[in-house]
Amino acid sequence: MPRADSRLRINQQDGITLIEFVDRNILDEANIQQIGEEIGELIDAAVPPQILISFSNVDHLSSAALGTLITIHNRVKSKSGKLRLANIDPQILEVFVITKLNTLFEIHDSTDSAIASFK
Amino acid sequence: MSRGDTDPARSVSAQLSDVPDEIRDFEDRFVEAAGKAGYEQASCFALRLAMEEATRNAFRHGHADLPDEPIDVAYDITPEIVTITVRDHGPGFDPTELPDPTAPENLARPHGRGVMLIRAYMTDVRFNDTGNEVTMTYRKPD
């Protein structure tokens, strides 16, 4: 069950957990921590986890948010799951490129492309 | 162009506490002031990121043992250059000793990207000798 104060919109589709962010700015540490905890619970609930995170609503993120995404990546990997990122604004994608995290994450242009990649 | 009474100040020196709403309001005023001074959206993205990373580092690292103490933040926005100074009251650190977060062995580590992002987005970044104050300048792109 999503939390009443959830920072996420969550949908399930064909064994894939689709996650969108409520907030346009993923900067605030308390929110980032909550996001990490919520996605962690979703990872633990799925066997194996197939997680798709869409950034379609996101204008800003910080290195703290990147850190949480890395922790999510490591957690999914430890459960032999799959993680995909999609719909990343070009400015935010540049942050991934500068930090070379575009080589760590599998990033797709669209939700459809990301969903297809799970098959 | 005259500025209205509600325009946020372009030169600010303040103490900032580790309170999320306070930090967000401060950053919002800063970015709004930059936008009204003629900085485009891409510049405002860079400025917000640098301000966020520098203040976060000051609280998380500089004030790790001073959780209730505010940090000192100042900015000055001119039509061509934005200068930001963030100072904490901690012992400082040596920025030359930070590990490269893009090295393959560090890529999956969740921390250590803040200073790198500041350097990537700002025109010039300087730390004082103690390492508890960073001054960042951003020149408006031509």
Side-chain angles (χ1 to χ4, degrees):
Chain A
M1 276 287 286
R3 302 179 190 186
D5 62 345
S6 178
R7 313 313 307 165
L8 306 173
R9 280 190 279 273
I10 302 158
N11 286 292
Q12 301 286 342
Q13 180 180 325
D14 301 329
I16 300 165
T17 305
L18 293 94
I19 299 169
E20 284 186 318
F21 297 102
V22 170
D23 303 297
R24 302 196 76 82
N25 295 344
I26 311 179
L27 299 169
D28 183 273
E29 278 191 354
N31 282 355
I32 291 169
Q33 184 178 347
Q34 182 179 334
I35 285 167
E37 289 171 3
E38 284 190 63
I39 297 180
E41 290 166 8
L42 293 168
I43 293 168
D44 289 344
V47 186
Q50 297 194 105
I51 308 289
L52 166 52
I53 302 177
S54 170
F55 287 75
S56 58
N57 194 39
V58 177
D59 293 334
H60 281 279
L61 52 66
S62 63
S63 66
L66 294 176
T68 292
L69 287 171
I70 292 167
T71 301
I72 289 165
H73 166 271
N74 295 342
R75 198 157 168 175
V76 169
K77 191 175 174 187
S78 74
K79 294 193 72 181
S80 302
K82 293 178 181 174
L83 173 67
R84 305 288 187 260
L85 310 184
N87 304 319
I88 301 180
D89 172 270
Q91 273 184 336
I92 294 179
L93 186 60
E94 188 180 12
V95 175
F96 282 84
V97 172
I98 289 168
T99 54
K100 295 190 179 175
L101 290 175
N102 60 320
T103 65
L104 185 73
F105 294 106
E106 186 170 325
I107 299 173
H108 290 261
D109 290 341
S110 68
T111 304
D112 287 346
S113 164
I115 288 173
S117 76
F118 284 104
K119 291 168 186 166
Chain B
M1 191 172 76
S2 65
R3 289 162 55 191
D5 291 342
T6 57
D7 278 4
R10 294 182 183 178
S11 189
V12 169
S13 181
Q15 289 202 314
L16 199 58
S17 298
D18 191 8
V19 177
D21 286 349
E22 188 177 325
I23 296 169
R24 188 166 51 242
D25 287 348
F26 184 85
E27 289 178 354
D28 286 348
R29 285 197 304 275
F30 166 59
V31 172
E32 185 186 355
K36 290 195 171 175
Y39 288 82
E40 307 242 341
Q41 198 271 338
S43 295
C44 291
F45 178 91
L47 289 167
R48 183 188 289 274
L49 189 64
M51 179 69 88
E52 168 68 23
E53 298 297 341
T55 54
R56 179 174 190 272
N57 278 347
F59 285 123
R60 289 301 148 265
H61 302 297
H63 283 197
D65 296 322
L66 304 165
D68 298 323
E69 199 162 321
I71 61 170
D72 302 314
V73 186
Y75 61 78
D76 184 60
I77 302 168
T78 73
E80 300 301 330
I81 293 177
V82 177
T83 305
I84 307 168
T85 302
V86 177
R87 181 185 181 90
D88 64 61
H89 304 280
F93 75 111
D94 183 351
T96 65
E97 291 190 351
L98 292 174
D100 177 5
T102 66
E105 66 272 21
N106 295 330
L107 209 53
R109 291 178 57 183
H111 303 291
R113 291 172 179 80
V115 173
M116 183 204 180
L117 287 173
I118 291 171
R119 290 192 193 282
Y121 280 94
M122 294 293 102
T123 309
D124 186 61
V125 181
R126 293 170 194 235
F127 290 88
N128 67 355
D129 290 342
T130 307
N132 69 334
E133 179 182 292
V134 60
T135 301
M136 308 169 278
T137 57
Y138 180 87
R139 182 173 289 278
K140 186 190 284 181
D142 293 331

